[in-house]
């Protein structure tokens, strides 16, 4: 190798070392600058606390002043020096140490000291390189680079006051798979709620686009908030088309995990028109209708979504059909509970009596159209009269008691307000809430809880369609991209025998005889009572002693008129009798027999 080649090689090495050193210097300087901006306000607070302590205790006889002094010294120690000052102090210390110490040591000690210094410098360089290395593999886009630069504490501090954000200061922003996350320090009267209300000011300070989703919630400690800019999604690039192999509800946009909702839960699925409720529910409906021990019942007065599933589900699309199916479901529930073995908490689904999932598609329509449905009934004297009936009492009863009988209610609505789209008796029974985009924060609070806004469950900020928040007591407020199940896929699913109580065989409880109610002549079977009468009969049979008619109102949750009609029907049919003192009891002995 010639002298010129050696020189060029050494010059190349020197240039590389210089670039590496400059890069390390810049990164360390930025780190120290961010820490100083983050911790200097703590020094100011400590100085104010010391001034207050000195005013309270000028003589220093109480621990208050000494504690304030210690806290000030601790706060000062936690503020790092600027890089130039740190380098100056280090060079000065090394120069003084070398001037005083090196001439007095032998050559052997000098050699080993030099080796130790070189090894220490090398180890420090490797440690800095490893510590600063990006282990996530994420590379910021042009938009993210601009946002990260504007989220630096120095830039924020220079522009916060003119944007109405004086008293706030950002920490060190981080780029994650779900976007940019940055802590914000709050001074004075600032709170996370107040900062959330100033979202437009933050967006203007950062120069963020209007469509960029922004989340602000309380930080992990008091006086801090957490700002998240959803610049990316962990579900990006994934195929969200539903297939039998990809049967999850959707993908978590923060963690990338597959999100599923198990059967056996009472669901509320809400979202404004066009948010994608029907599409989001299809994977769930498939799970509820698949398997030998699962059955699906759909109440759909809009006659759109239910029509897709009528080859594998029981579908009620008229008010009278809704009344009929809810009566059957309530009678099935009460019968299962009556024969449930002692000590068993829930019904065990079988092919004969499967788990039944009852889906109400557009609850507001059911509350309106199926509330007062005229029915013609025949009185005891042979005359015909018309009376209004409602499906809501049976649905409310299923919501309250159906879980033990493996009859689960799923309520879907685009009007998620109590009384308009969700009955007051059903709303408290909901176990899992799936909320797509809604119109207002008030609707989000109804679906996801009163603390929804404070904890980041901002369903009113979700994009449309196909993005949902799922609150089940375990998940964080991470958006979920739901899978898309096409209508043609639903229509092509294999046929299933729809559930119907009229064709369901009688199932005996384990170790219990079959009970058959017969008349005195043993030739006629007692008439099967309707929904209200079945509830009254159940309350009388399970009571420890004869009950009064007025007590049945409390026991069944029915109105006085409904109880009166049911009692009259049951006494006329001979199913119950009224004792001389006015109490009601189920017929026994001569009136009924067990075979």
């Amino acid at each position: 190798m010639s002298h010129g080649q050696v020189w060029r090689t050494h010059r190349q090495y020197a240039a590389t070392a210089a670039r590496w050193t400059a890069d390390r210097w810049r990164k360390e300087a930025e780190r120290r600058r961010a820490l100083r901006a983050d911790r200097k306000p703590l020094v100011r607070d400590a100085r104010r606390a010391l001034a207050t302590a000195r005013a309270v205790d000028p003589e220093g006889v109480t621990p208050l002043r000494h504690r304030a002094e210690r806290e000030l010294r601790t706060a000062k120690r936690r503020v790092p020096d600027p890089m130039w000052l740190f380098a100056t102090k280090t060079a000065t210390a090394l120069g003084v140490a070398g001037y005083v110490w090196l001439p007095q040591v032998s050559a052997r000690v000098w050699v080993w000291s030099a080796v130790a210094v070189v090894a220490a410098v090398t180890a420090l360089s490797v440690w800095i390189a490893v510590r600063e290395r990006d282990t996530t593999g994420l590379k910021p886009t042009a938009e993210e680079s601009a946002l990260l630069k504007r989220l630096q504490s120095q830039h924020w501090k220079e522009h916060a006051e003119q944007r109405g954000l004086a008293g706030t200061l950002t920490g060190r922003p981080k780029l994650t798979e779900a976007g940019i996350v940055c802590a914000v320090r709050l001074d004075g009267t600032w709170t996370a709620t107040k900062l959330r209300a100033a979202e437009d000011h933050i967006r203007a300070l950062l120069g963020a686009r209007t469509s960029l989703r922004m989340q602000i919630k309380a930080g992990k400690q008091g006086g801090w908030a957490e700002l998240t800019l959803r610049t990316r999604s962990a579900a990006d690039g994934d195929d969200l088309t539903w297939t039998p192999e990809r049967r999850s509800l959707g993908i978590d946009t923060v963690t990338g995990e597959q999100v599923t909702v198990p059967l056996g839960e009472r669901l509320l699925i809400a979202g404004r028109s066009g948010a994608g409720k029907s599409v989001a529910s299809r994977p769930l409906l498939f799970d509820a209708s698949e398997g030998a021990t699962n059955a699906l019942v759909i109440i759909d007065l809009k006659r759109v979504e239910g029509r897709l599933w009528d080859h594998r589900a029981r579908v009620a699309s008229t008010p009278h059909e809704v009344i009929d199916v809810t009566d059957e479901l309530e009678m099935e529930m009460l019968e299962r509970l009556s024969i449930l073995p002692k000590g068993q908490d829930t019904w065990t689904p079988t092919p004969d009596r499967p788990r039944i999932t009852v889906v109400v598609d557009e609850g507001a329509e059911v509350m309106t159209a199926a509330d007062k449905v005229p029915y013609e009934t025949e009185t005891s004297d042979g005359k015909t009269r018309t009376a209004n009936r409602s499906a809501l009492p049976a649905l409310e009863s299923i919501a309250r008691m159906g879980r033990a009988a493996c009859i689960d209610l799923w309520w879907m609505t685009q009007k998620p307000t109590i009384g308009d789209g969700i009955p007051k008796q059903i709303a408290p029974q909901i176990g899992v809430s799936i909320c797509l985009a809604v119109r207002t924060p008030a609707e989000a609070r109804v679906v996801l809880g009163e603390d929804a806004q404070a904890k980041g469950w901002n369903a009113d900020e979700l994009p449309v369609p196909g993005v949902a928040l799922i609150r089940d007591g375990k998940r964080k407020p991470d958006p979920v991209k739901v899978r898309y199940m096409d209508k043609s896929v639903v229509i092509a699913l294999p046929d299933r025998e729809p559930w119907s109580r009229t064709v369901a065989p009688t199932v005996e409880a384990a170790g219990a005889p079959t009970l058959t109610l017969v008349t005195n002549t043993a030739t006629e079977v007692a008439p099967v009572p309707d929904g209200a009468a079945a509830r009254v009969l159940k309350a009388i049979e399970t009571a420890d002693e004869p009950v009064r008619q007025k007590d049945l109102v409390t026991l069944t949750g029915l109105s006085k008129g409904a109880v009166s009609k049911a009692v009259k029907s049951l006494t006329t049919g001979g199913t119950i009798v009224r004792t001389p003192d006015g109490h009601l009891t189920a017929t026994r002995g001569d009136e009924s027999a067990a075979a």
Side-chain angles (χ1 to χ4, degrees), residues 429-448:
Q429 311 301 328
I430 298 299
V432 177
S433 298
I434 301 176
C435 189
L436 291 95
V438 293
R439 294 181 178 84
T440 63
E443 293 181 343
R445 288 195 297 271
V446 171
V447 180
L448 298 169

Side-chain angles (χ1 to χ4, degrees), residues 263-594:
L263 295 177
E265 298 287 349
R266 290 163 290 188
L267 301 187
L268 172 61
I269 306 175
R272 63 186 179 89
S273 179
K277 293 186 304 300
S278 298
V279 175
S281 65
R282 286 171 189 167
L284 301 176
L285 297 183
F286 171 81
D287 291 339
S289 62
E290 186 71 5
T293 59
N294 293 322
L296 179 63
V297 175
I298 299 178
I299 298 174
D300 180 20
L301 293 177
K302 296 185 300 181
R303 308 185 185 188
V304 177
E305 188 67 21
R307 192 179 304 170
L308 301 176
W309 298 88
D310 58 6
H311 61 296
R312 58 189 288 121
R314 170 84 175 272
V315 179
S317 56
T318 66
H320 284 82
E321 290 178 351
V322 174
I323 296 291
D324 294 339
V325 75
T326 53
D327 281 350
E328 288 186 40
L329 289 167
E330 186 178 25
M331 294 168 62
E332 177 71 14
M333 177 187 69
L334 294 175
E335 185 171 329
R336 291 186 182 187
L337 294 177
S338 66
I339 63 176
L340 187 67
K342 186 176 182 180
Q344 185 173 325
D345 295 332
T346 58
W347 181 264
T348 302
T350 64
D352 292 332
R353 277 189 161 166
R355 174 185 297 278
I356 304 174
T357 302
V358 185
V359 180
V360 178
D361 192 356
E362 191 42 61
E365 190 68 21
V366 172
M367 294 176 65
T368 302
D371 184 26
K372 295 181 180 179
V373 182
Y375 261 80
E376 291 186 353
T377 58
E378 185 175 345
T379 61
S380 57
D381 55 0
K383 296 181 179 179
T384 302
R385 65 182 181 88
T386 302
N388 291 332
R389 297 186 59 191
S390 173
L392 289 181
L395 291 173
E396 292 170 352
S397 180
I398 292 171
R400 289 191 298 264
M401 302 189 299
R403 186 171 186 177
C406 281
I407 301 178
D408 309 311
L409 179 65
W410 293 0
W411 194 271
M412 300 171 58
T413 182
Q414 64 182 12
K415 297 180 180 179
T417 51
I418 302 297
D420 294 328
I422 309 173
K424 296 179 180 180
Q425 295 293 326
I426 293 179
Q429 311 301 328
I430 298 299
V432 177
S433 298
I434 301 176
C435 189
L436 291 95
V438 293
R439 294 181 178 84
T440 63
E443 293 181 343
R445 288 195 297 271
V446 171
V447 180
L448 298 169
E450 289 297 327
D451 60 344
Q453 195 170 13
K455 294 190 175 181
W457 298 88
N458 302 318
D460 55 305
E461 301 176 3
L462 291 176
V464 176
V467 181
L469 294 175
I470 303 174
R471 190 162 194 180
D472 57 1
K474 302 175 183 178
R475 289 186 49 80
K476 295 181 180 179
D478 299 337
V480 175
K481 277 192 173 181
V482 299
R483 292 197 177 278
Y484 178 75
M485 190 175 184
D486 191 74
K487 296 179 181 179
S488 59
V489 176
V490 178
I491 296 173
L493 291 174
D495 292 357
R496 294 287 305 276
E497 180 71 25
W499 175 86
S500 176
R501 180 173 167 79
T502 57
V503 298
T506 303
V507 177
E508 301 177 10
T514 303
L515 299 180
T516 305
L517 204 65
V518 298
T519 62
N520 291 339
T521 60
T523 58
E524 299 178 0
V525 179
V528 178
D530 60 12
R535 293 165 70 176
V536 170
L537 178 59
K538 177 64 177 177
I540 295 174
E541 290 178 339
T542 55
D544 295 333
E545 57 185 12
V547 297
R548 291 185 178 274
Q549 182 170 324
K550 64 178 182 179
D551 297 331
L552 292 174
V553 177
T554 304
L555 294 174
T556 61
L558 299 172
S559 65
K560 292 182 179 179
V563 170
S564 177
K565 295 175 183 177
V567 170
K568 183 177 181 181
S569 174
L570 292 172
T571 52
T572 303
T575 308
I576 63 174
V577 295
R578 191 184 300 272
T579 61
D581 57 356
H583 289 76
L584 298 171
T585 181
T587 55
R588 297 183 180 88
D590 295 336
E591 287 82 6
S592 65

